[in-house]
Amino acid sequence: MSRPTAYRTVDVDGLPIFYREAGDAGAPVILLLHGLPSSSRMYQPLLDRLSDRYRLVAPDYPGFGHSAAPDPGAFAYTFDHIAEVMICFTELLAIPQYNLFMQDYGGPVGFRMAMAHPERAQSLIIQNAVAHDTGLGEIWATRRAFWADRAAHEAALRGNLLSLETTRRRHIGSDPDIGRYDPDLWTDEFAFLSRPGQSDIQTELFYDYRKNVAAYPRWQRWMQENKPRLLVLWGRYDPSFDISEPEAYRRDVPDAEVQILDAGHFALDTSADEVADLVHNFLQRQNSHF
């Protein structure tokens, strides 16, 4: 039986960071790192299904969900900075080790955390997060143009990245059965994106995303050299990230477990039971004491 979810806020260097937590304090930890434009809310299905066996902790990044969203003039919205905040967050919660579940933006945040403190990351679970340039689909043409010439392409980028239709398509992708998707998934996210200052915050952070692409070779070398325990879960209907990406991870880590799901970019939208089972079985195999 699942444990009740607690909704808490902790002060990280003066920044209120909201998080959801469920499970026994002494259980193995799964740290859940969310994507764009979501929040810890996307992980509620896993908290409901796995909290009887694990301690699940799902924070909102600065500028997302219910965490503080300072103006970009007062807070540097970079992936380096967000990873630093998340590292401090785990230290304040006294979490010395964790299994990282990394989805979308959770990839660049999580790789930075794992590489900064490899002794803390017991395993990596990657769900539609990219670490290879070939994993970026055709929709990234507008985004690459924005990185190359921000002034000329910022208006197009905001429409490409932050509109209601893009927010919807990010969920349903190419899935032929759109009746499986709750419209609240994207309307709630778009409500957050429509708050004052959000478009500036998300544009600043996405401009920094170009540094993730530049860092991909470094992340790949780290995986090749360290061979982390790795599970790759991939929703086949993802409109943003290419289906070739799971095998790219397996080239880096030959022992990686790879599962292609009948799901979209946010696999928990439609495949929460399957994801929960795959995660639990993976962790049992990797850590016999679980």
Side-chain angles (χ1 to χ4, degrees):
M1 181 179 295
S2 66
R3 305 293 193 269
T5 299
Y7 307 92
R8 301 185 171 115
T9 300
V10 64
D11 186 287
V12 180
D13 291 334
L15 198 68
I17 296 296
F18 174 86
Y19 65 102
R20 300 163 198 258
E21 181 174 11
D24 294 337
V29 175
I30 305 176
L31 182 64
L32 303 155
L33 300 175
H34 67 78
L36 168 77
S38 194
S39 67
S40 59
R41 181 184 174 185
M42 68 171 279
Y43 285 119
Q44 192 62 52
L46 284 187
L47 273 69
D48 293 341
R49 288 164 173 79
L50 292 176
S51 57
D52 58 338
R53 289 159 284 185
Y54 303 96
R55 178 187 177 193
L56 295 101
V57 180
D60 290 351
Y61 309 140
F64 290 77
H66 298 291
S67 287
D71 183 271
F75 181 89
Y77 284 96
T78 69
F79 286 91
D80 282 345
H81 198 184
I82 288 177
E84 291 169 4
V85 172
M86 291 295 100
I87 289 170
C88 291
F89 168 82
T90 62
E91 293 170 349
L92 284 169
L93 267 62
I95 303 174
Q97 290 187 310
Y98 37 75
N99 299 279
L100 280 172
F101 192 116
M102 305 148 59
Q103 196 272 343
D104 189 73
Y105 275 13
V109 175
F111 274 114
R112 285 169 169 82
M113 295 177 70
M115 293 172 68
H117 296 284
E119 75 285 358
R120 300 181 185 180
Q122 296 174 303
S123 67
L124 306 183
I125 302 165
I126 294 173
Q127 194 259 291
N128 291 70
V130 170
H132 307 81
D133 192 73
T134 53
L136 302 179
E138 294 180 3
I139 197 172
W140 289 76
T142 299
R143 301 169 187 185
R144 292 181 191 273
F146 168 66
W147 297 334
D149 187 342
R150 178 171 180 169
H153 297 281
E154 184 163 328
L157 179 281
R158 292 187 182 219
N160 176 271
L161 188 70
L162 305 175
S163 69
L164 175 58
E165 179 56 23
T166 296
T167 306
R168 174 180 176 271
R169 293 293 304 176
R170 195 178 282 117
H171 282 273
I172 66 173
S174 59
D175 193 333
D177 186 5
I178 63 174
R180 301 196 299 158
Y181 295 84
D182 181 351
D184 289 348
L185 292 165
W186 54 84
T187 54
D188 286 358
E189 287 178 355
F190 189 69
F192 271 110
L193 284 175
S194 301
R195 293 180 301 179
Q198 265 295 306
S199 59
D200 292 338
I201 288 171
Q202 298 304 332
T203 301
E204 284 298 318
L205 184 56
F206 195 79
Y207 186 62
D208 189 67
Y209 198 98
R210 72 196 193 283
K211 297 179 182 176
N212 298 330
V213 180
Y216 287 168
R218 188 165 69 253
W219 301 354
Q220 294 160 24
R221 286 193 301 271
W222 181 83
M223 287 188 284
Q224 293 160 8
E225 293 169 1
N226 291 275
K227 300 295 190 294
R229 292 181 283 191
L230 177 61
L231 171 64
V232 180
L233 305 175
W234 206 262
R236 69 173 74 250
Y237 301 122
D238 192 330
S240 299
F241 296 153
D242 195 81
I243 192 66
S244 65
E245 184 67 359
E247 288 305 319
Y249 278 113
R250 184 140 51 190
R251 287 193 294 272
D252 294 328
V253 185
D255 290 337
E257 297 184 29
V258 174
Q259 295 286 341
I260 306 300
L261 307 176
D262 189 25
H265 182 68
F266 298 98
L268 292 171
D269 287 355
T270 59
S271 302
D273 288 340
E274 185 178 6
V275 171
D277 288 344
L278 289 167
V279 168
H280 176 57
N281 292 336
F282 168 75
L283 293 178
Q284 278 196 314
R285 286 191 295 273
Q286 297 296 329
N287 303 278
S288 59
H289 64 281
F290 283 8

